[in-house]
Amino acid sequence: MTADTPSMPAAARPQGRYDTTTIVLHWLTAVLVVVMFALPQIWQQFERRTPPRLWLIDLHFSLGITLAGLLLVRILWRAALGGRLPQVGPGPARVASRIVHLAFYILLPAQVTLGVLLRWAQQQPLPYFGLFVIPDPFAMPLDARTVLGLLHEWNAWVIIVLSGGHAAAALLHHYVLRDGLLLRMTPKR
């Protein structure tokens, strides 16, 4: 893909590309996070206990279970790949990148965990696309709903704000710094 960018100075072209698996895992995670954040905004437009609202809630939880599996695969893939991932720029850019990625690796599993605990505190099993349900093995108390709900919502907002900053930084690198960073996370053509 770097050959398709003749206006980019040779020194600014991507140093190394991410492998296809890392790229796919990144974009699947991004899409799931955005969709899962949007679903509660949408279901709040429907009356409580109506079929559309219940369907959107079940979809949210099914996607949450999918995200949990995807995060596990990402963590295992990252551990297996180790230091072979391309590095991001020098000094401050590299430090900022590491901090942001570490934050994602903490916040996303925390979000899934909070969502599961919240569902169980609501005395509801976790549905997975109508295929099966995961019952509450702990008998979560009902009075935990409020705290878990607030933590789940606040954490979601932190993830979305951090994701927006992450996307803005990628666009800055691409359009202003023109260093080819964004191209490293796109599939080869």
Side-chain angles (χ1 to χ4, degrees):
M1 186 163 204
T2 51
D4 297 338
T5 56
S7 64
M8 182 183 300
R13 291 190 183 145
Q15 299 292 321
R17 297 189 79 77
Y18 288 96
D19 60 277
T20 301
T21 302
T22 300
I23 292 169
V24 169
L25 292 172
H26 172 271
W27 290 110
L28 283 175
T29 303
V31 168
L32 275 175
V33 165
V34 170
V35 169
M36 290 181 62
F37 184 80
L39 285 173
Q41 315 316 312
I42 296 167
W43 81 52
Q44 290 176 8
Q45 306 309 311
F46 295 96
E47 299 224 9
R48 291 184 171 273
R49 295 180 178 70
T50 58
R53 183 178 175 124
L54 295 174
W55 182 82
L56 290 169
I57 291 169
D58 283 353
L59 177 61
H60 180 79
F61 284 104
S62 294
L63 292 175
I65 294 168
T66 302
L67 180 61
L70 185 63
L71 290 173
L72 180 60
V73 170
R74 277 191 77 154
I75 290 166
L76 293 174
W77 182 251
R78 183 74 187 256
L81 218 54
R84 294 181 302 181
L85 289 175
Q87 294 297 315
V88 174
R94 182 174 294 163
V95 171
S97 173
R98 286 185 177 166
I99 289 170
V100 167
H101 284 94
L102 178 62
F104 280 131
Y105 279 106
I106 292 169
L107 294 169
L108 288 169
Q111 185 67 356
V112 169
T113 303
L114 288 167
V116 168
L117 294 175
L118 173 59
R119 181 70 172 192
W120 287 340
Q122 293 168 332
Q123 309 293 307
Q124 298 290 322
L126 280 165
Y128 190 70
F129 295 112
L131 301 173
F132 59 86
V133 295
I134 304 171
D136 175 5
F138 307 113
M140 290 289 297
L142 272 171
D143 56 353
R145 287 180 303 182
T146 303
V147 171
L148 290 170
L150 287 173
L151 290 173
H152 188 63
E153 183 178 351
W154 292 343
N155 197 53
W157 276 103
V158 171
I159 290 168
I160 285 299
V161 168
L162 191 61
S163 296
H166 181 65
L171 294 172
L172 172 78
H173 277 274
H174 188 71
Y175 291 108
V176 177
L177 301 177
R178 300 177 55 83
D179 61 6
L181 183 89
L182 184 61
L183 299 177
R184 293 168 33 173
M185 192 49 79
T186 57
K188 292 180 185 177
R189 288 190 210 172

